[in-house]
Amino acid sequence: MQDKPDRLEAARIEKLQRIEALGIDPWGQRFDNHIGIGAAREKCPEESGVDGDTVRVCGRIMLQNDRGKLKFFHIQDWSGRIQLWISQKDVDEKTWALIDCLDLGDQVGVEGLVKKTRTGEISVFVKQLCILGKSLATPPEKFHGAKDVEMLLRQRYLDLIYNEGVLDRMLRRTKIISSIRNTLNSRGFVEVETPVLHAIAGGAAARPFITHHNALSIPLYLRIALELHLKRLMVGGVERVYEIGRVFRNEGIDATHNPEFTMTEIYQAYGNYETMMELTEAIVTDACLVANGTLQVQWGDKAIDFTRPWKRARYGDLFKEHAGCDMRDQEAVAAVAKKLHIEVAGRDPDVIINDVFEATVEDALIGPIFVTDYPAKMCPLTKRKWGEPDIAERFECFVWGMELANAYTELNDPRLQEELFRTQLSGLAEEDSMAKMDHEFVQALKVGMPAAGGLGIGIDRLIMLLTNSRSIRDIIYFPLMKPEHAGGATEAEAQPAVE
RNA sequence: GAGUGCGUAGCUCAGUCGGUAGAGCAACGGACUUUUAAUCCGUAGGUCGUGGGUUCAAGUCCCACCGCACUCACCA
């Protein structure tokens, strides 16, 4: 059902009909042999009034300035903006009539000489013009633009059109992701796709989204991690494997969390977590150079230097430095925890250590820094250090308190894996635990997975760091928004009765 | 989930102590062949987020709800 057109839309529909009456398709036809506006600008002679090349360009009308028999338009494509100079004496009668029907926001294609006006503005002196798409919606105010955050997120296309830098930032996102692929592909990794719908949402500690398969009549979960399927592929002999894909976590939304986000997980047979440190440095520095051309970048009012090698520090040493006690000294840790108002009673010592670490250490990590060798009980998918069963061969990489990467020497002992899946730490809710029994995964490990290193990188956070974006919403085209009006799937549809 | 703030024309925003809803841009009609957010003359355009309440009178005060933002909580 269409809404009743408002008065502004009605005016545009009236022009649309006038264009049709001229025998012209207001929605446009193909427009061949055009060049980008950025490229057209480069063809303009330095000196005003000197003819340059004939160019064909197309784009959206952003500004118009009607001087009667002379009209100026500014059009924009994704490479830039250029002024059109349209004199009645330069175009035929039908074109002039068409030009009278143009509105801000319409798409046009033009051909003409590129040269500077008397005032030095690079312009296309139009000889031919055609319409390539009518716009029925009134654009935002020409000077102040569109500012309403809610409108810009719900109608991201307006943000992309009218706010400078938004499209450029999103295109840098694409470049960063292709850089990651290039780095991995050049090292012999293969990209795969694994299921999004999981019978058991494992591989991370997060609450899943629940859905339902009608024909099978079973509940399914949207994946919260890529880990367990990629490791099955390691068992199958896919020695260097990665996936870049969407994962879903049913948690709160804020400047660094969107319910669906992109991550990559990478596994390398016969490597370990130190192999993954080198790989992390390579992926991030390659991407940083592609996005910024330098390894020194701004992060708000702070600076980040990604020059290799990055610092490394053991978890236990950082704990001692910032929390002020040895993490193996349970009484001392409990005392520090109490001071920080962290619950102690009935909770596993490693859970308390983890809370104290997050409260005292993480925000102090400027980075980039690899924090290594975690308390083992928090890491049910990680290999223990040989001869040190309380320490897991894991690192997390931090930059300005933000977790950028997480990697393990992968646990490939099926019997230990099965035991760890069974072990729920006291003080940790089941949904907050990584330990979820997955017999099929344990069966895969029994077949034999090679010793291996595995690495996970939150792509959105990496892009935030590399594009100096303080909000995850700035680098996701369509972040989740609550529907403005009731609609979409009903609760009954979303969670059908399961017998 | 809690607290604070915001929601007025298509857009950007005013709206005083509760007293007839305003401006600029955009639109429509007119003038204009070197404008740069052109300028000038004229016209039209409103469910003040939604629903209640108080009041002679509500954009304004009160209550509930919806959406957004920020802070906090949650977020291996």
Side-chain angles (χ1 to χ4, degrees), chain A residues 313-489:
Chain A
R314 283 179 57 112
Y315 185 101
D317 295 341
L318 289 169
F319 191 95
K320 192 161 198 173
E321 182 184 338
H322 295 277
C325 67
D326 193 310
M327 69 175 180
R328 287 163 302 191
D329 182 344
Q330 281 189 30
E331 278 178 30
V333 172
V336 173
K338 274 179 194 158
K339 258 186 237 166
L340 295 166
H341 304 105
I342 292 166
E343 185 64 43
V344 174
R347 305 180 80 214
D348 188 279
D350 278 7
V351 175
I352 298 167
I353 290 170
N354 186 54
D355 282 355
V356 171
F357 185 89
E358 287 180 3
T360 57
V361 183
E362 284 192 2
D363 287 344
L365 298 174
I366 293 168
I369 182 171
F370 294 109
V371 178
T372 66
D373 299 338
Y374 277 62
K377 273 183 278 183
M378 300 304 293
C379 313
L381 297 162
T382 312
K383 188 182 174 85
R384 278 67 181 115
K385 241 183 166 43
W386 188 248
E388 280 185 80
D390 292 338
I391 299 296
E393 289 200 350
R394 170 185 186 179
F395 75 74
E396 292 195 308
C397 176
F398 289 91
V399 180
W400 284 112
M402 200 192 267
E403 181 193 325
L404 185 59
N406 181 21
Y408 318 140
T409 302
E410 298 299 337
L411 178 62
N412 61 347
D413 173 347
R415 294 190 303 165
L416 179 56
Q417 182 68 79
E418 184 166 10
E419 183 192 325
L420 294 177
F421 274 157
R422 281 189 209 290
T423 310
Q424 293 299 329
L425 298 186
S426 54
L428 207 57
E430 187 176 349
E431 63 236 15
D432 292 332
S433 169
M434 276 201 252
K436 290 194 187 77
M437 179 55 70
D438 187 334
H439 292 291
E440 291 180 17
F441 177 67
V442 172
Q443 177 57 35
L445 291 186
K446 283 185 182 172
V447 171
M449 186 178 95
L455 166 64
I457 298 176
I459 300 279
D460 305 284
R461 299 232 177 126
L462 174 62
I463 292 165
M464 286 172 67
L465 284 170
L466 296 184
T467 60
N468 194 16
S469 303
R470 304 308 296 227
S471 170
I472 199 166
R473 287 183 301 262
D474 292 339
I475 48 93
I476 292 178
Y477 275 118
F478 300 105
L480 185 72
M481 300 285 281
K482 223 167 166 176
E484 203 166 9
H485 307 289

Side-chain angles (χ1 to χ4, degrees), chain A residues 108-325:
Chain A
V108 295
V110 298
E111 181 174 313
L113 291 177
V114 60
K115 64 176 171 183
K116 284 187 179 173
T117 62
R118 198 184 290 165
T119 50
E121 177 88 22
I122 297 174
S123 307
V124 177
F125 285 66
V126 173
K127 293 193 176 111
Q128 288 172 31
L129 179 144
C130 49
I131 183 163
L132 300 175
K134 190 78 189 131
S135 170
L136 297 181
T138 307
E141 209 260 358
K142 67 181 174 186
F143 185 61
H144 297 94
K147 287 189 167 166
D148 182 72
V149 176
E150 187 176 349
M151 178 177 73
L152 295 175
L153 292 177
R154 290 190 193 279
Q155 301 177 248
R156 179 67 96 177
Y157 39 87
L158 294 178
D159 202 14
L160 291 163
I161 296 167
Y162 293 103
N163 287 324
E164 207 175 336
V166 174
L167 176 57
D168 179 65
R169 189 169 59 230
M170 293 308 302
L171 294 177
R172 282 208 286 162
R173 176 190 175 104
T174 301
K175 280 186 191 169
I176 288 166
I177 292 173
S178 39
S179 166
I180 294 169
R181 287 202 166 90
N182 288 340
T183 302
L184 290 167
N185 293 346
S186 71
R187 288 165 178 248
F189 288 85
V190 296
E191 183 172 8
V192 298
E193 291 168 282
T194 64
V196 171
L197 298 175
H198 287 189
I200 299 167
R207 281 152 229 231
F209 286 91
I210 305 170
T211 185
H212 182 260
H213 190 283
N214 288 341
L216 299 182
S217 190
I218 53 169
L220 287 171
Y221 302 93
L222 301 188
R223 66 184 176 188
I224 58 172
L226 312 174
E227 177 141 359
L228 300 183
H229 284 92
L230 293 176
K231 283 186 182 172
R232 283 167 166 88
L233 294 180
M234 299 282 296
V235 171
V238 188
E239 291 186 16
R240 295 188 178 206
V241 66
Y242 72 100
E243 179 166 4
I244 295 175
R246 203 69 60 80
V247 299
F248 307 83
R249 297 188 181 178
N250 205 340
E251 284 154 3
I253 299 172
D254 63 29
T256 56
H257 296 84
N258 194 57
E260 52 179 304
F261 60 101
T262 303
M263 62 179 302
T264 180
E265 289 194 27
I266 303 152
Y267 293 86
Q268 180 173 342
Y270 316 122
N272 71 358
Y273 73 144
E274 288 174 328
T275 322
M276 294 296 106
M277 284 187 220
E278 194 280 325
L279 187 59
T280 304
E281 289 179 345
I283 288 168
V284 174
T285 53
D286 287 356
C288 188
L289 287 172
V290 163
N292 297 298
T294 168
L295 294 178
Q296 284 79 42
V297 300
Q298 279 300 118
W299 175 239
D301 53 4
K302 303 175 175 98
I304 308 171
D305 185 351
F306 285 109
T307 303
R308 301 167 72 177
W310 301 348
K311 267 184 263 170
R312 300 178 185 197
R314 283 179 57 112
Y315 185 101
D317 295 341
L318 289 169
F319 191 95
K320 192 161 198 173
E321 182 184 338
H322 295 277
C325 67

